[in-house]
Amino acid sequence: MARRITGVIAAASVLLLLGASCVFLLASADGDGGAMRYNAMFNFGDSLSDTGNLCVNKSATEELLLTFANPPYGMTYFGHPTCRCSDGRLVVDFLAQSLGLPFLPPSKLPGADFRKGANMAIVGATALDFDFLKSIGLGYPIWNNGAINVQLQWFRDLLPRVCGGPQSCRPYLARSLFLLGSIGGNDYNAMLFFGFNVSRARSYAPNVVDNIAAALERLIELGAVDIVVPGTLPIGCVALYLTILPSRDKSDYDEHGCLKPLNDLATYHNSLLQDRLNRARARHGPAARIMYADYYAYAMDMLRDPARFGFTTPVAACCGAGGGPYNFRLDARCGMKGASACGDPWRHESWDGVHPTEAVNRLVADGWLRGPYCHPPILQ
């Protein structure tokens, strides 16, 4: 029993590293209308897009969880850890570069200039509020209180420094790009890691999607026009899940070795989200340009035919010390003592068994900018 409790706590720690995931090749913005199209970019989300908020606010969590603040994180592009959960740049970084904008500073960074954008994303963020999670038995101390509603408040707090009052902000925000997620993956992670079965976790999917949809409405009320809302990844293909929640029933695995029940949960979430986005489009018409970014389809395309995208290793982590088929172990994660990175992260889809490599993030960004994995594409 003691070993199981220890394992659950460790899994909870890793939960903060898990986000709902993304995947797309960045071409130059010169000549395609991308550069200077937007005043700024504002991002909300979890570990897939946090550019430093959790590290700025270390008091929000235990030092044990900040493994991504250690080498070899950041090795590919920055040459040192930057608190990004990758070997290099994230999707949000590639988008900013392509649109002629600087890397987004974490919204919690003191003295930062947010006139070109800000990043409210934080590792471990959820769509559901902490009080709701606590009410269903998930009030564990790992939560950093960075739920989507909290991030929206952080954004409101920044606005006077960015564009002044409500009236002056509206035209400014109308010329800015908003990324609302990916978020929601940590809600399911918490449920599944702490003993909920897939069916019970699925029952909360409408609540998760409702909170995302409500956040979308609040951004539109503030003056946002161009808003990208990503779905979630095929979580049944993530090394962490494949290691922590294996099944003895071979029929639970698809031909790619992914857990079908978990992927069914992801597709259910995405279908609910797309339905809510369609309703929002009908309600707001041309006043809001709402884009759905399809993480799931692109990730599955990469898993089905990795060579087509330049990869040789679709599931196993590049960085870790776990060995086995996925190179993942809770007590030997990337950034921990004894863990090391592969010499060719650009050939891997998974960086640490949870988050994508920079190579994947580069492809994801292009898929969002130009399609076909964002509907409509950002640069349409």
Side-chain angles (χ1 to χ4, degrees):
M1 175 63 73
R3 289 184 64 185
R4 177 167 178 78
I5 292 173
T6 300
V8 169
I9 293 173
S13 300
V14 176
L15 187 154
L16 278 174
L17 301 181
L18 191 60
S21 287
C22 217
V23 283
F24 301 65
L25 182 126
L26 182 70
S28 168
D30 294 344
D32 68 2
M36 307 310 294
R37 174 170 178 155
Y38 295 105
N39 290 326
M41 182 164 64
F42 297 98
N43 181 70
F44 304 80
D46 53 29
S47 60
L48 289 170
S49 59
D50 183 357
T51 54
N53 270 322
L54 192 65
C55 288
V56 170
N57 187 25
K58 287 185 178 182
S59 62
T61 188
E62 297 179 17
E63 195 74 23
L64 171 66
L65 304 180
L66 297 177
T67 54
F68 49 88
N70 301 328
Y73 281 92
M75 60 177 274
T76 295
Y77 179 80
F78 300 99
H80 58 84
T82 64
C83 212
R84 288 166 170 81
C85 294
S86 179
D87 60 309
R89 287 163 289 184
L90 307 176
V91 173
V92 68
D93 295 319
F94 284 112
L95 291 176
Q97 287 182 308
S98 184
L99 296 171
L101 297 169
F103 289 151
L104 299 187
S107 63
K108 291 298 181 182
L109 186 64
D113 183 352
F114 300 115
R115 288 173 296 178
K116 291 292 184 180
N119 194 347
M120 275 59 64
I122 188 167
V123 171
T126 54
L128 297 172
D129 292 332
F130 177 77
D131 287 344
F132 183 90
L133 292 166
K134 187 176 180 180
S135 75
I136 61 173
L138 298 173
Y140 292 90
I142 61 168
W143 300 112
N144 56 56
N145 201 29
I148 189 61
N149 283 334
V150 175
Q151 292 185 33
L152 285 168
Q153 187 57 53
W154 294 345
F155 176 64
R156 292 189 195 97
D157 293 342
L158 287 180
L159 286 181
R161 298 160 57 186
V162 173
C163 49
Q167 293 308 312
S168 59
C169 279
R170 292 191 70 83
Y172 181 89
L173 298 180
R175 289 282 297 166
S176 299
L177 179 66
F178 288 80
L179 276 71
L180 185 57
S182 183
I183 197 163
N186 283 318
D187 300 80
Y188 303 124
N189 299 336
M191 296 172 196
L192 295 167
F193 289 156
F194 283 103
F196 288 22
N197 60 29
V198 175
S199 178
R200 187 177 178 192
R202 179 187 172 100
S203 71
Y204 289 105
N207 303 84
V208 171
V209 171
D210 282 349
N211 273 26
I212 298 171
L216 172 68
E217 293 295 332
R218 284 193 283 275
L219 287 176
I220 293 172
E221 288 170 7
L222 287 169
V225 173
D226 286 13
I227 310 168
V228 178
V229 187
T232 193
L233 282 173
I235 57 176
C237 305
V238 174
L240 170 62
Y241 269 112
L242 290 165
T243 302
I244 301 301
L245 298 176
S247 175
R248 295 180 180 179
D249 186 348
K250 291 184 179 180
S251 67
D252 281 340
Y253 294 87
D254 66 15
E255 64 272 26
H256 308 291
C258 301
L259 285 162
K260 291 189 290 187
L262 294 178
N263 279 353
D264 289 343
L265 171 60
T267 57
Y268 179 59
H269 168 96
N270 290 339
S271 66
L272 290 177
L273 180 60
Q274 290 177 78
D275 179 68
R276 293 303 299 270
L277 297 185
N278 286 335
R279 283 193 258 168
R281 291 186 186 107
R283 183 163 52 253
H284 295 286
R289 185 167 178 260
I290 301 167
M291 296 159 271
Y292 173 71
D294 195 341
Y295 271 117
Y296 190 98
Y298 205 172
M300 289 306 300
D301 284 350
M302 289 185 177
L303 286 162
R304 292 185 187 106
D305 190 3
R308 172 187 161 201
F309 299 93
F311 300 115
T312 57
T313 309
V315 177
C318 165
C319 182
Y326 312 118
N327 190 33
F328 184 87
R329 206 173 72 215
L330 283 171
D331 58 355
R333 305 191 304 278
C334 187
M336 296 179 73
K337 185 177 180 180
S340 60
C342 61
D344 56 350
W346 57 89
R347 295 291 187 187
H348 290 247
E349 295 182 27
S350 175
W351 164 244
D352 55 10
V354 182
H355 305 95
T357 57
E358 180 185 271
V360 166
N361 291 332
R362 180 188 293 268
L363 292 171
V364 171
D366 193 65
W368 286 5
L369 286 165
R370 301 167 180 84
Y373 298 97
C374 189
H375 314 286
I378 295 170
L379 297 180
Q380 187 178 62

